[in-house]
Amino acid sequence: MRLIFMGSPDFSVPALHGLIKAGHEVVAVYTQPPRPAGRGKALRRQPVHEAADALSIPVRTPEKLRHNEEELAFFQGLNADAAIVAAYGLILPEAILNAPRLGCLNIHASLLPRWRGASPIQSAIRAGDAESGVCIMQMDKGLDTGAVILSEATPITATDTAGSLHDRLADIGARLIVRALKDQPTPIPQDDSRSCYAPRLERKDGQIDWNRSAVEIERQVRAFIPWPGSYTLLEGQTYRIGAVSLPDGAEATALMASAPTPGTVLDDKLTIACGTGCLQIDRIQKPGRAMMDRDAFLRGTRLTKGMRLD
C-alpha cells in the first residue's frame, strides 16, 4: 500500500521499520519538529525523524495541522491509501483523517477502551492492571474513541516498568499494524462506558505521596521509570527513587506496630512508613550524584530512624 507514517518517539520506530519490511511504500513521514534537549539545549531530532532519514523517506515537521491549509493540500496530494499514526503528538483535524482512502489507523498502547489519552502505559502499571496491550484503531475526531480493528494483550509482570512494557508493546504494535493492513478486519466500536483517561504526565507528578499505600507507591515507582521518575524530599532536597520493594507481611506488621506517621524512616535499612504498610527503598539518587543501591547510599548519608520524608 501507499502509506503516510505519523509518529515521533522511540515507540513509533519499530512500526515504521515493520511497514517497510512488509513491502509497503511509505511516501512521507510526519513527525514533531526538533526540540531543545540536554544541558546545552541543542536541537534534537525525533527518533522517527532519524529512522526516516536512514530509510531515505521524505520527512515533514509542521508545528501544527489545524488551520494549516498548505500542509493539508500537501497531505491530500500524497494520494495515500492510509496514514499510520503512532504517538505522533499532534491532534489530526477531520480533513486529515478523511484524506487517505482507508483513513488514519492509530497504534495505541492500551486495550481500548481501558486507557485513552497520553499515558496509557504508565496508567496501566500504576492502576495494577493484570495486562496491557495494543489496539489498532480506526481514528475519528474523538480522543482515542475510534473503532478497534485488531488488538493483542500482554501480561503486566510484577517487575515491569513503563520502559520494559513500552518496548514490548512497540514490538506488538509493529506486528499488529502489518496484519491489520493485510487482513483488513471489520472495526468493532468501543464501549465508551468502560473507558478511563490517562493524562499527560509532568515531572511534578513524580513526587511520592507517602499517605498512599505501599502497594500504590511501589506501582508508581515502576510506572514512572523512565519518565517522569519518582522522587521525595528530605530536609528540603530532592532525592530521586529508582527502585523500591515491599517487606514480607510479618516484617511490615512489626515495623508498623506503632502506627508511625507516613514518610517516617522506620529502621537503618531505608524502610519507610506509608499510609498503609511500608516499603524499602532499594535505589536512590541524592542531589548531584548518580543513582546508587541502598547500601552505597547509606555508607555516605546519615538517615536515622524517625526522620521524615516529604
Side-chain angles (χ1 to χ4, degrees):
M1 288 189 185
R2 184 178 173 87
L3 303 176
I4 299 167
F5 188 84
M6 309 179 83
S8 296
D10 289 323
F11 178 82
S12 318
V13 174
L16 176 59
H17 284 295
L19 292 167
I20 296 296
K21 186 177 180 180
H24 294 286
E25 179 189 9
V26 179
V27 295
V29 163
Y30 278 73
T31 190
Q32 289 283 302
R35 306 290 189 199
R39 290 186 177 181
K41 299 299 180 184
L43 290 179
R44 181 179 299 172
R45 300 195 304 182
Q46 300 291 333
V48 165
H49 195 149
E50 299 285 355
D53 268 6
L55 294 166
S56 299
I57 302 172
V59 176
R60 308 282 291 185
T61 60
E63 289 283 354
K64 65 175 185 176
L65 292 175
R66 283 183 170 178
H67 311 298
N68 188 340
E69 296 303 320
E70 181 180 350
E71 199 61 52
L72 172 61
F74 182 88
F75 191 93
Q76 292 172 327
L78 291 170
N79 297 314
D81 293 308
I84 309 303
V85 184
Y88 175 39
L90 288 182
I91 294 175
L92 306 188
E94 199 163 2
I96 291 283
L97 293 173
N98 295 332
R101 179 174 63 86
L102 299 175
C104 297
L105 308 184
N106 180 241
I107 304 171
H108 185 75
S110 166
L111 295 174
L112 290 167
R114 174 57 174 155
W115 293 109
R116 296 173 177 172
S119 61
I121 297 174
Q122 294 92 337
S123 296
I125 295 175
R126 196 178 186 188
D129 290 1
E131 63 180 6
S132 182
V134 172
C135 286
I136 307 300
M137 176 188 67
Q138 184 78 53
M139 295 181 72
D140 60 19
K141 61 183 179 180
L143 177 63
D144 300 327
T145 55
V148 174
I149 298 171
L150 275 179
S151 66
E152 181 177 325
T154 184
I156 298 177
T157 72
T159 59
D160 263 327
T161 64
S164 63
L165 183 56
H166 165 283
D167 293 349
R168 210 154 66 242
L169 296 179
D171 290 340
I172 291 172
R175 285 192 284 102
L176 219 56
I177 189 60
V178 171
R179 183 176 150 207
L181 292 173
K182 179 175 180 283
D183 298 344
Q184 297 187 39
T186 302
I188 300 173
Q190 295 184 44
D191 179 359
D192 292 342
S193 68
R194 295 174 51 237
S195 70
C196 299
Y197 178 61
R200 186 174 300 279
L201 296 171
E202 301 178 18
R203 284 194 182 276
K204 64 180 178 64
D205 295 320
Q207 182 168 6
I208 293 172
D209 178 0
W210 295 105
N211 292 295
R212 291 183 175 274
S213 72
V215 170
E216 289 176 298
I217 295 171
E218 188 272 339
R219 288 174 184 161
Q220 173 189 318
V221 171
R222 289 190 291 112
F224 287 3
I225 296 172
W227 171 261
S230 295
Y231 67 92
T232 190
L233 301 179
L234 175 63
E235 297 178 339
Q237 291 191 304
T238 299
Y239 287 74
R240 302 193 70 78
I241 307 301
V244 300
S245 57
L246 301 174
D248 65 43
E251 182 182 1
T253 299
L255 288 167
M256 294 294 290
S258 63
T261 302
T264 300
V265 178
L266 299 176
D267 58 16
D268 60 357
K269 300 177 182 178
L270 272 185
T271 306
I272 314 298
C274 305
T276 303
C278 57
L279 55 75
Q280 194 169 67
I281 297 175
D282 297 326
R283 288 181 59 75
I284 186 169
Q285 180 182 4
K286 64 175 66 176
R289 300 289 296 277
M291 186 71 70
M292 62 184 74
D293 292 337
R294 175 179 62 252
D295 291 345
F297 172 81
L298 289 173
R299 281 195 293 269
T301 304
R302 182 173 173 80
L303 201 63
T304 56
K305 182 178 178 179
M307 293 181 73
R308 286 280 309 281
L309 303 180
D310 295 313

